[in-house]
Amino acid sequence: MPEVEIPMWFVSFCTALLAAFFGSLLAIKKFKKEKIWSEKYKAYQDVLSALEAMLLWANETYCHQKMIPTKGTQGIEGGNWPSFTEARRVIAKTTCVGSLLLPTEVIDELEALESDLWNENFRADDERYYYPNTHEESEAIAEHADNVEKLIKPRLKAIIQHAKKDLG
């Protein structure tokens, strides 16, 4: 049986082709990993910004109702601060589609927060509309803002811890 000799240029070509193939696989894998990390970072950034805006609203509303001086951030509604409603929308959206990127623990925290805020809004609306244009209404609004802050703060801390672990 005659020996088949493989030309050296063919061996070099095949080696280069294999190296390029495996190099591209590694590059694609790295790109996907970086893209997923970037998308997770953006999702956490949106959630944390929304929670912070809701805390700001709660603090400003409480202080306004109690006639306590504030930082004056309530006057920048048209600025970069999302409104309470917009922030709630970000949280609601993240609970629906965020499970594609964020861990189950974070989604569970956000769903529980959504439920608690819904219950608190329902409770506050009943109380606030029972005493229209009175001191009691102002007190009910202040209590509502205080309750919202108490609901958000522990979840904000928990989500920050999850984000550090997830992105670290």
Side-chain angles (χ1 to χ4, degrees):
M1 188 173 257
E3 230 178 87
V4 178
E5 190 171 314
I6 301 173
M8 195 56 156
W9 65 267
F10 185 73
V11 172
S12 297
F13 175 75
C14 288
T15 303
L17 193 61
L18 279 173
F21 175 73
F22 286 118
S24 66
L25 285 180
L26 289 173
I28 289 169
K29 185 177 180 179
K30 182 181 178 190
F31 173 77
K32 284 182 179 179
K33 186 177 180 181
E34 288 175 355
K35 186 68 174 171
I36 288 171
W37 188 91
S38 175
E39 291 297 319
K40 277 185 179 187
Y41 182 83
K42 184 179 178 339
Y44 278 119
Q45 190 176 33
D46 291 347
V47 166
L48 294 174
S49 293
L51 292 174
E52 196 275 335
M54 291 165 54
L55 277 177
L56 177 68
W57 171 87
N59 185 282
E60 291 287 325
T61 301
Y62 180 83
C63 290
H64 179 72
Q65 295 302 318
K66 295 290 188 172
M67 295 183 190
I68 300 170
T70 66
K71 299 174 192 169
T73 53
Q74 195 172 34
I76 57 171
E77 281 293 319
N80 292 331
W81 298 100
S83 71
F84 187 81
T85 306
E86 291 168 352
R88 288 278 311 262
R89 174 72 183 111
V90 168
I91 299 302
K93 181 178 114 180
T94 304
T95 59
C96 291
V97 296
S99 59
L100 292 171
L101 291 171
L102 302 178
T104 306
E105 298 86 13
V106 173
I107 300 303
D108 291 345
E109 288 284 348
L110 294 175
E111 286 175 346
L113 176 62
E114 271 294 295
S115 176
D116 290 346
L117 287 173
W118 178 265
N119 291 336
E120 172 55 28
N121 281 350
F122 186 73
R123 183 209 61 78
D125 283 347
D126 277 352
E127 192 171 322
R128 186 171 62 221
Y129 293 127
Y130 190 69
Y131 305 108
N133 303 319
T134 63
H135 174 70
E136 286 80 8
E137 179 190 34
S138 181
E139 287 297 316
I141 293 170
E143 181 184 354
H144 172 60
D146 190 44
N147 288 342
V148 166
E149 185 173 350
K150 288 175 183 172
L151 291 172
I152 294 171
K153 273 189 175 181
R155 292 202 169 89
L156 178 62
K157 288 179 183 178
I159 291 171
I160 288 172
Q161 291 304 315
H162 288 298
K164 284 180 179 178
K165 192 167 52 172
D166 192 23
L167 296 174

